Amino acid sequence: MIKIGITGGIGSGKTVVTSILEVMGIPVYIADEQSKRLTDTSPVIKEQLIALFGATIYTSEGLNRGLLASYIFNSADYLARVNQIIHPEVNRHFLHWTQQQQTTLCAIESAILFESGFDRIVDYSLMVYAPLALRIERACRRDGVNREEIERRINSQMPDEIKKERASFVVFNDNNQPLIPQIQEVITTLTPLTT
């Protein structure tokens, strides 16, 4: 089975690409969703977060996300330590998930594919690229926040140009080039490698 890592900056259109792949019959693991679920359900993550922050990091409903955010957004050290707790569990869970799939291709979607090291557990990476102004416009509309907030989020991520250099494939989601033929070309390139 070939594993593809899908990444791209805020507002690039990763969700659209993910939806297209799923329609094509390629299962996609959404790392952000699974990470949130695992922080509530994984005994390994829970034990380590409690050891780091104390028992108040969890409530009867699960992880106290507001409290965790207050720690990690104010400390690069805490952010790194939390990532060292969560990312290995997401990696393990993704690899277990791939074993359940009955397809020759599957994918993981992660905005932080390279930063998290998830790129090391996939065979190829696909970056969804869109011009910065378009990304800001999309993200403002989607999230209902102002331009400054979106720019702050974008500036906290790995620059697109670095992702483009590291990616095995780049698809352009710029409202000019049709996405489906670009994705189909990637799949056509990879399909013979699965036999």
Side-chain angles (χ1 to χ4, degrees), residues 15-130:
T15 303
V16 174
V17 170
T18 295
S19 298
I20 292 168
L21 288 172
E22 288 175 333
V23 167
M24 294 174 147
I26 297 169
V28 182
Y29 181 98
I30 309 298
D32 190 46
E33 290 174 8
Q34 294 297 333
S35 172
K36 287 176 181 166
R37 190 182 66 73
L38 287 168
T39 57
D40 286 330
T41 60
S42 166
V44 173
I45 292 174
K46 187 173 184 176
E47 179 183 316
Q48 291 183 51
L49 287 179
I50 288 172
L52 184 59
F53 298 115
T56 57
I57 201 69
Y58 280 88
T59 69
S60 58
E61 271 90 60
L63 180 68
N64 184 336
R65 296 187 195 288
L67 182 59
L68 180 64
S70 72
Y71 283 117
I72 64 176
F73 288 130
N74 294 310
S75 166
D77 179 56
Y78 274 143
L79 175 60
R81 290 166 75 183
V82 168
N83 286 341
Q84 288 167 357
I85 292 168
I86 295 173
H87 293 162
E89 282 301 295
V90 175
N91 277 355
R92 183 197 57 72
H93 190 260
F94 168 68
L95 293 173
H96 177 72
W97 175 87
T98 62
Q99 294 169 0
Q100 315 305 310
Q101 306 311 308
Q102 304 297 314
T103 56
T104 55
L105 297 172
C106 71
I108 180 172
E109 184 258 284
S110 173
I112 56 169
L113 186 79
F114 298 114
E115 301 94 321
S116 64
F118 295 155
D119 62 310
R120 293 192 295 270
I121 61 169
V122 297
D123 302 298
Y124 299 93
S125 54
L126 184 155
M127 191 231 175
V128 184
Y129 181 83

Side-chain angles (χ1 to χ4, degrees), residues 16 20 23-24 172 177-187:
V16 174
I20 292 168
V23 167
M24 294 174 147
F172 294 87
Q177 303 173 68
L179 259 179
I180 294 175
Q182 294 179 75
I183 295 168
Q184 186 61 60
E185 185 176 336
V186 171
I187 302 310

Side-chain angles (χ1 to χ4, degrees), residues 122-168:
V122 297
D123 302 298
Y124 299 93
S125 54
L126 184 155
M127 191 231 175
V128 184
Y129 181 83
L132 181 60
L134 182 56
R135 290 173 53 207
I136 292 170
E137 177 190 322
R138 287 173 180 162
C140 286
R141 189 172 54 242
R142 178 194 68 204
D143 297 347
V145 296
N146 63 37
R147 179 184 181 90
E148 291 73 29
E149 172 61 19
I150 296 302
E151 288 175 343
R152 185 187 65 74
R153 292 183 199 171
I154 287 171
N155 291 333
S156 73
Q157 292 186 335
M158 179 184 286
D160 273 3
E161 298 312 312
I162 294 174
K163 288 182 182 180
K164 276 174 73 177
E165 287 174 17
R166 293 183 65 179
S168 312

